[in-house]
Amino acid sequence: MPSLIHGITSLLTHSISTTKALLKGVLRKVAIIGAVLTLAACGSEEGEGKIKIGVAIPNFDDTFLVNMKDSMENYAKEMGDVELIFVDAKEDTVKQLGQIQNFIVQQVDGIILVPVNTDATQPMTDSIQKAGIELVFLNRRPSYLPEGVSYVGSDELRFGEEQAKYAASQIDGGNIGIIMGMMTVEAAILRTQGVEDFFKDKPEYNITRKQTGLWQRSQGMIVMENWINSGEQIDIILSNNDDMALGAIQALRAAGKLDDTIVVGVDATPDGIMAIEQGALDATVFQDGVGQAKGALDAALNAINKKPQEKITWIPAELVTQNNLAEFQAKG
C-alpha cells in the first residue's frame, strides 16, 4: 500500500511540475508577443503625423542632382514633420515608372519628380493624379503639365544665353563645340538652343561640333578627346553642365590645349567653382540647386495642405567667373 501511495504522489508531483513548465513557457511567449506589439505601436507612433513625400531622382551619380537631394534632405530635417523617401532611377525611364508605382502603393502624401525623360511623363502623371497624390516636377520641366501639377526649376534657355554672352565677351570669333546632356531632357535641348539662338546672327562664330556627353564627366572627356583627335580647331567649349565641362578640361589639359580654349559650364557645382578658382574653368552659370530643392518641397507641402501654389516657379540663373567669384561665395 505505501508503494502505491508513493507512486500516485510521484505522478501528481510530475504532472504539477510539467504543468508549471508549460505555463511558464506560455507566459514567456505572451510576454515576448506583448513586447513586440509594444515596439510596433511605438514605431507607428513615431511615424504617425509625418507627411511622407517620395522623391524620384534620375541618377545618384549626377553631382548637381545629389547636391540638390542633400539640400532637400537638410531642409526636411529642419521642418521635423516631413519624411522623404529617395529613389534612384539610374537614368532608366521604365525603372522610374516602377518606382512611382511603388510610391502610389505606399500611399505617400506627395511626390517630387525629376524625370528621366521629360517627354515620357504622362503615364506617371496620370497614375499619380488618379491616386489623389500631389505631384511637383523639379529641375526638368515635362512637356505634359496638367492642372493640379506644378513645376519648380530655372529657365533653361537663359543658361545657354549666359554661356554664349560670356564667350562672345572673351573672343571676337571662332569655332564652338557644344557638349550636350541627354537629349531626352528638356534642359539639354533648351540650353543648347539658348547658345544657338545667341550666335545665329553672328557669322564670326561657328558651331562646328555638337555631341552628347550624357551629363557625365567621363563622357565629356571622351567627347573632347574625339574632337581633339579630329584635328579641327575648337576655340570655345560650351557644356550643358559642369561635370562634362570638367571632363573636357581633362582632355584639353592632356593635349596641351587648355590655355587656348574657353570652357564654360552650368550649375556652379563645388567642383566647378574649384576649377574656376584654379583658372581651369572660365565660367559657369549658377543653377540654384538649393533654391530649387527648397522650392519643390514648399510647393509639395502647399499642395498637400491645400494652400495656394504657383503652377511654375522660376529660380534665377547667375553667371559666375573669377571676377565675381568672391561675391558669389560670400552669398553662399
Side-chain angles (χ1 to χ4, degrees):
M1 193 72 172
S3 61
L4 179 60
I5 293 169
H6 178 72
I8 292 170
T9 304
S10 297
L11 183 61
L12 287 171
T13 303
H14 178 72
S15 298
I16 291 168
S17 62
T18 302
T19 303
K20 283 182 177 178
L22 288 170
L23 185 59
K24 190 180 290 184
V26 170
L27 290 172
R28 185 183 296 113
K29 287 180 181 178
V30 169
I32 291 169
I33 292 168
V36 170
L37 290 173
T38 302
L39 286 171
C42 289
S44 63
E45 283 173 13
E46 285 174 8
E48 196 175 327
K50 279 201 171 187
I51 296 171
K52 289 189 178 182
I53 298 175
V55 185
I57 304 290
N59 192 343
F60 283 4
D61 291 328
D62 185 296
T63 305
F64 176 79
L65 293 177
V66 171
N67 289 339
M68 192 166 59
K69 168 186 172 291
D70 292 343
S71 299
M72 193 184 301
E73 202 164 17
N74 292 334
Y75 191 42
K77 284 177 183 175
E78 291 174 16
M79 296 177 176
D81 60 347
V82 178
E83 179 184 346
L84 301 181
I85 307 165
F86 291 98
V87 291
D88 176 7
K90 300 189 183 302
E91 297 293 356
D92 185 329
T93 302
V94 176
K95 186 179 181 70
Q96 188 168 71
L97 179 58
Q99 291 170 339
I100 294 301
Q101 293 300 327
N102 285 339
F103 283 153
I104 292 171
V105 171
Q106 292 173 49
Q107 296 182 321
V108 295
D109 300 294
I111 292 174
I112 295 172
L113 174 54
V114 185
V116 171
N117 185 341
T118 49
D119 289 326
T121 59
Q122 185 166 348
M124 292 185 283
T125 301
D126 290 345
S127 295
I128 292 165
Q129 287 199 298
K130 186 177 179 181
I133 296 171
E134 301 297 342
L135 172 61
V136 176
F137 280 97
L138 170 62
N139 185 254
R140 299 179 179 181
R141 187 174 63 170
S143 53
Y144 178 65
L145 197 69
E147 284 304 312
V149 178
S150 57
Y151 169 75
V152 177
S154 296
D155 184 348
E156 301 295 351
L157 273 172
R158 180 80 185 279
F159 289 112
E161 289 170 3
E162 290 295 326
Q163 286 184 305
K165 282 180 189 176
Y166 173 79
S169 73
Q170 300 300 303
I171 186 171
D172 292 332
N175 292 338
I176 300 167
I178 305 175
I179 306 180
M180 303 177 295
M182 295 179 69
M183 298 313 292
T184 54
V185 178
E186 185 200 43
I189 296 166
L190 292 182
R191 290 175 193 180
T192 301
Q193 184 185 328
V195 172
E196 291 172 329
D197 287 350
F198 181 85
F199 286 120
K200 67 183 177 183
D201 58 352
K202 296 175 176 58
E204 64 273 27
Y205 298 93
N206 299 298
I207 298 173
T208 58
R209 294 277 179 168
K210 288 195 303 181
Q211 189 173 333
T212 180
L214 302 174
W215 302 115
Q216 297 172 21
R217 189 176 304 191
S218 59
Q219 292 299 313
M221 182 175 70
I222 290 168
V223 168
M224 193 69 246
E225 285 173 344
N226 290 337
W227 290 353
I228 291 168
N229 292 334
S230 75
E232 181 182 334
Q233 180 178 332
I234 302 178
D235 307 290
I236 302 166
I237 297 296
L238 302 181
S239 169
N240 284 173
N241 77 348
D242 282 349
D243 268 1
M244 295 185 296
L246 294 174
I249 284 169
Q250 286 179 271
L252 287 164
R253 182 182 281 126
K257 293 179 176 292
L258 183 58
D259 291 342
D260 301 321
T261 312
I262 294 167
V263 184
V264 186
V266 173
D267 288 339
T269 61
D271 285 352
I273 293 300
M274 187 182 299
I276 290 177
E277 285 180 331
Q278 295 168 349
L281 183 66
D282 292 280
T284 185
V285 186
F286 175 49
Q287 181 176 201
D288 187 355
V290 176
Q292 289 187 26
K294 289 183 175 181
L297 191 49
D298 286 339
L301 292 172
N302 284 341
I304 290 165
N305 294 317
K306 309 304 178 190
K307 293 181 179 178
Q309 171 60 38
E310 294 289 334
K311 187 174 180 66
I312 295 180
T313 302
W314 294 118
I315 307 296
E318 178 186 350
L319 182 72
V320 183
T321 68
Q322 282 196 335
N323 291 337
N324 69 342
L325 184 59
E327 180 185 343
F328 171 78
Q329 289 174 315
K331 290 191 294 186

